Amino acid sequence: MAGMPLPAPKDLTSTVLRTDFSDDAAWSAVQAAIDAADGYPHATYVSDSRFTDVSIQALIVEEAATEEDDRLTYVFLADATTMTDPSSPLLAVDLYDEPGRTFRVPARWYPEISANLSIANMEFADFADAADGTGTFRGWGDD
């Protein structure tokens, strides 16, 4: 993967990077779940087999080597857990403030997080700190 930076998101969306290639139908279902969660596009989907089972550390190293203006500060991974769990929980990964910090986010909460992170209205830590004991963000408790 060295020398192959992550694709930048389009417009004010967040990158959803597929890392599990075991089931194309599951990938389609994840995309549909994310798209159904809100009426606006919030994801730039990347399905490139060079990212199969990529480690978080490899993503951190790759982004650190990228020109600063082109760096992603976070990414959402569609990994094996995402593909097999009915709530399609993406793995959110901080690549900038606390590189390697993660939390899970079910598809229904993805648009809220993506929108707030893409316009820098909130920080990655705001959502990670609000994750439950399983490391999953499930809203603010009043939703």
Side-chain angles (χ1 to χ4, degrees):
M1 188 180 121
M4 301 175 115
L6 291 168
K10 298 174 187 149
D11 302 320
L12 291 176
T13 64
S14 298
T15 298
V16 175
L17 179 66
R18 182 182 183 185
T19 65
D20 180 288
F21 289 81
S22 62
D23 186 342
D24 288 340
W27 171 238
S28 294
V30 167
Q31 292 177 62
I34 291 169
D35 292 344
D38 191 61
Y40 300 96
H42 289 282
T44 295
Y45 298 108
V46 177
S47 181
D48 184 331
S49 62
R50 71 184 162 113
F51 295 109
T52 300
D53 297 327
V54 68
S55 71
I56 292 171
Q57 187 58 41
L59 294 173
I60 292 167
V61 168
E62 188 62 39
E63 283 306 291
T66 302
E67 293 287 329
E68 189 162 350
D69 288 345
D70 296 328
R71 283 187 197 157
L72 295 182
T73 57
Y74 62 91
V75 65
F76 293 90
L77 303 183
D79 60 5
T81 300
T82 308
M83 301 298 187
T84 58
D85 187 301
S87 67
S88 303
L90 298 162
L91 183 64
V93 180
D94 187 337
L95 298 172
Y96 189 75
D97 289 325
E98 297 177 67
R101 187 172 186 191
T102 64
F103 66 91
R104 290 265 173 202
V105 56
R108 82 174 280 224
W109 297 112
Y110 170 84
E112 177 180 347
I113 295 171
S114 174
N116 281 294
L117 290 178
S118 68
I119 63 170
N121 185 49
M122 297 178 78
E123 295 183 13
F124 189 94
D126 295 327
F127 295 103
D129 291 347
D132 66 16
T134 69
T136 303
F137 177 83
R138 299 182 197 277
W140 298 111
D142 55 347
D143 298 312

